[in-house]
Amino acid sequence: MHIENNLYKRIPQVDKLMQHELISNCEVYRHEIVETVRDVLADLREGLRIGKIDKIPCDDDIAKKVVDLAGKRTREQKGIRRVINGTGVILHSNLGRASLSKAAAKEAVEIASSYCTLEYDIEKGKRGNRAGGIEKYLQNLTGCESSLIVNNNAAAVLLILSSMASDGNVIVSRGELVEIGGGFRVPDIISQCGCKLREVGTTNKTRIADYEAAIDKDTRAILKVHTSNFKVVGFTESVSIKELTTLGKLHNIPVIEDIGSGALVDVQKYGLHDEPLAKESLKNGADIVSFSGDKLLGGLQCGIILGQKKYVEAMKKHPLYRAFRVDKMTIAVMEATLRVYADLSLAERDIPVLSMLSMTDEALRLRVEKLCEEIQKNGGDVEVIKTKSVAGGGAVPGLELDSYAIALKGALSVEKLEKKLREQPVPIIGRIESDRLVLDVRTIFEDDFDYVAKAVADVSG
């Protein structure tokens, strides 16, 4: 009993342990770590009571355990965390869609952590134009008369229709009445704007005559929606934006096109077909074009509106714009992202979405061989396989891109391997393919290879 009492006395007090250098200098806030200190010390007392331990670790070892446990608890409590995407889905909606370029991320940090010229003109010393820089870049890239940025593309469509067609009919092909993520449907958005939906054609076939027959005195706009998240194949027919704008001009009715994924460069060279270009839509006569900023463009979540100045200016004055406008970080990121588009070779190097789409077979093979070698050096049991990547994010449904992946082996079941990688400090998300857990190297940043190699070796060795 005397020895046991001495052991109890060797357990440090909470206040003393809180002053330990490891704990006082760790990145976990004091109010968050003190509870962990109490829990670790309580575990020591319980271990002594039930005879599970027969000695008390030194203060350094106890402090290290506290810091490790507190860090783990903090990570697990976060609602949003960094992960490593080994799924091969470039625009993974559940994993945050597009990753930003390093330049854009740096710009966001700088602007977020200081004051900035959000609505201040340095030259004139007075209030300036919010997002004026973005407008200049978009004019140069697309030839638009004017532009506007809002918090997502659904908001863009809502603002466009509320401003341009709230008291009348909007004509849309039945084959384009899509539902986007979260259950939001084009008919619901149209209704919310105070417009009446005028459906034309059928699911698989709509002709220009269908649009023309639907025009009446209450028609306020013709809306064309790019069906980014599904594809109708077989016996189909649709009307081009050029045909629609010709019809619109004949009847003095504005034509709006929602192109969805927001390609600013020709992505056919990457194997992505049927993705409309913003520049081409305007060139073909669209009065207003809208698209997302966090898909093929490679920026943050936002909605971008391009088109005739008279319509955009009316949107800027609409009450909904105040609710939909973006913050300083979004503006900073989108400026930094659009700036690099002046040189496509730089964009393919610096913007992750374009970099991943443009990777050659040789580049992918070298990447997978490098990662495989690092894993095996760490004692992991893996093999290289060929696989397929996808664009994701509702872009180019059904399209697959040839790629390479690491397939994990080892004694554990594929479900346990997947769970263990998910439980890493920085979770590694893969996919199960043919009863194997695979990590597609197309979507794994090379800067993360060392971390991935050690983690995979730990669970597969």
Side-chain angles (χ1 to χ4, degrees), residues 287-323:
D287 297 284
I288 290 291
V289 176
S290 75
F291 51 91
S292 297
D294 61 346
K295 293 185 179 180
L296 293 179
L297 194 154
L300 274 184
Q301 174 183 297
C302 64
I304 296 175
I305 301 168
L306 311 175
Q308 289 189 27
K309 189 170 184 176
K310 65 178 180 179
Y311 295 123
V312 175
E313 288 301 314
M315 292 174 212
K316 289 179 181 178
K317 296 173 184 176
H318 196 281
L320 280 177
Y321 174 56
R322 179 75 181 187

Side-chain angles (χ1 to χ4, degrees), residues 31-51:
H31 67 273
E32 293 176 335
I33 205 168
V34 68
E35 190 67 31
T36 307
V37 168
R38 292 194 179 105
D39 289 344
V40 169
L41 297 182
D43 285 346
L44 287 174
R45 295 189 191 94
E46 180 64 12
L48 283 176
R49 187 186 71 80
I50 65 176

Side-chain angles (χ1 to χ4, degrees), residues 268-413:
Q268 291 191 68
K269 61 185 289 190
Y270 312 133
L272 279 65
H273 302 284
D274 302 321
E275 280 297 317
L277 284 171
K279 185 175 183 177
E280 290 301 311
S281 293
L282 292 171
K283 188 177 177 180
N284 285 323
D287 297 284
I288 290 291
V289 176
S290 75
F291 51 91
S292 297
D294 61 346
K295 293 185 179 180
L296 293 179
L297 194 154
L300 274 184
Q301 174 183 297
C302 64
I304 296 175
I305 301 168
L306 311 175
Q308 289 189 27
K309 189 170 184 176
K310 65 178 180 179
Y311 295 123
V312 175
E313 288 301 314
M315 292 174 212
K316 289 179 181 178
K317 296 173 184 176
H318 196 281
L320 280 177
Y321 174 56
R322 179 75 181 187
F324 292 159
R325 70 181 188 178
V326 294
D327 66 352
K328 59 186 179 181
M329 285 184 289
T330 303
I331 291 172
V333 165
M334 295 310 295
E335 275 196 26
T337 302
L338 291 168
R339 179 185 176 194
V340 75
Y341 268 94
D343 187 327
L344 181 57
S345 62
L346 291 179
E348 289 179 339
R349 183 194 70 186
D350 294 345
I351 296 177
V353 169
L354 296 185
S355 176
M356 291 174 186
L357 285 172
S358 62
M359 279 184 192
T360 63
D361 183 84
E362 182 182 5
L364 288 164
R365 183 176 53 78
L366 291 174
R367 283 167 66 88
V368 78
E369 288 173 355
K370 178 181 177 181
L371 181 57
C372 182
E373 184 179 347
E374 288 187 31
I375 294 171
Q376 290 173 344
K377 278 182 181 178
N378 283 279
D381 189 7
V382 296
E383 65 176 330
V384 171
I385 64 167
K386 287 190 172 184
T387 189
K388 299 285 186 181
S389 305
V390 295
V396 200
L399 176 74
E400 295 182 328
L401 305 170
D402 290 331
S403 189
Y404 290 90
I406 294 293
L408 279 69
K409 300 162 81 173
L412 296 177
S413 69

